[in-house]
Amino acid sequence: MQIFGVDIGGTGIKGAPVDLDRGEPAQERHKVLTPHPATPEGVAGGVAEVIRHFSWEGPIGVTFPGVVTHGVTRTAANVDKAWIGLDAAALLSESLGGRPVTVLNDADAAGVAEMTYGAGRGVPGTVLLLTLGTGIGSALFRDGRLVPNTELGHLELKGHDAETRASVKAKEDGDLSWERWARRLDKYLAHVEMLFSPDLLILGGGVSRKPEKFVPLLTNVRAQIVPAKLQNNAGIVGAAMAARDGLTR
């Protein structure tokens, strides 16, 4: 079975049809830059461009970098504030000719995909996935059940929003070495572990392609730390899963 998944990020909008039997994109994903400012209309245009690339006509799942409840976007940390309180599912559906669209938090989508097909598959207890990119997204699971919209990247750490100190964007903006960035990330992970005591920490986002650069430097955490197996495709796969589940409800 194939369903289309789109992952909206702070820097890029990427998507592809997803083979849900295998849990991976059925074709090479297509990416466009996220417009700045990332207004609802501008982002909707980017989503439509990704979908036109594949001439896709069926249902679509879309991730959003913020809290989403019943298709309504409630926060907007790394996109335009016009998203707050918007019926994003309705907007995107309208911009795509009325096709069914399911919208969910980006890290939740990545987490569900990793728990089904990736590093969290079959793992009991408390599992926390963190997506490291423009910000820090989080997906918390207890015995495989998702606690949605946790947004742990916005925990306060030394007087700062944690993602402004420990995200990949913070590394790039500050021109930080892997060692210096890992020290910041280590402090953040220790804080999260103190609050939630996870059995497994999964680190996702594009940086999960280079775990050897930073994971061995993370020494402040008792929990097992592993990179996401689906890497930067996890959000696309999780979006497609949500669209499939939306059709069967």
Side-chain angles (χ1 to χ4, degrees), residues 134-194:
T134 305
I136 298 176
S138 60
L140 180 66
F141 296 85
R142 179 63 187 173
D143 291 332
R145 295 177 64 89
L146 173 68
V147 180
N149 293 308
T150 48
E151 292 289 284
L152 300 181
H154 301 297
L155 289 171
E156 183 178 309
L157 189 62
K158 292 195 172 182
H160 299 274
D161 207 35
E163 69 177 24
T164 67
R165 301 278 298 165
S167 66
V168 172
K169 184 176 187 297
K171 178 185 184 301
E172 294 170 350
D173 288 350
D175 194 23
L176 303 178
S177 66
W178 286 104
E179 291 76 13
R180 189 174 174 192
W181 178 65
R183 285 197 296 272
R184 291 188 180 188
L185 182 60
D186 212 16
K187 290 175 183 176
Y188 169 66
L189 296 180
H191 185 57
V192 170
E193 183 174 60
M194 181 270 293

Side-chain angles (χ1 to χ4, degrees), residues 20-103:
L20 289 175
D21 294 323
R22 295 184 299 164
E24 61 187 38
Q27 301 179 49
E28 184 176 352
R29 70 189 188 193
H30 183 65
K31 180 178 179 179
V32 300
L33 293 178
T34 302
H36 292 284
T39 62
E41 293 74 17
V43 171
V47 171
E49 184 179 343
V50 170
I51 291 164
R52 280 197 303 270
H53 178 81
F54 295 92
S55 302
W56 181 263
E57 297 293 339
I60 300 152
V62 179
T63 77
F64 178 79
V67 172
V68 182
T69 57
H70 309 292
V72 176
T73 46
R74 302 293 185 185
T75 63
N78 295 303
V79 291
D80 193 85
K81 301 304 180 187
W83 284 96
I84 298 173
L86 180 72
D87 189 338
L91 170 72
L92 292 169
S93 178
E94 182 179 355
S95 70
L96 296 169
R99 278 174 283 175
V101 175
T102 303
V103 182

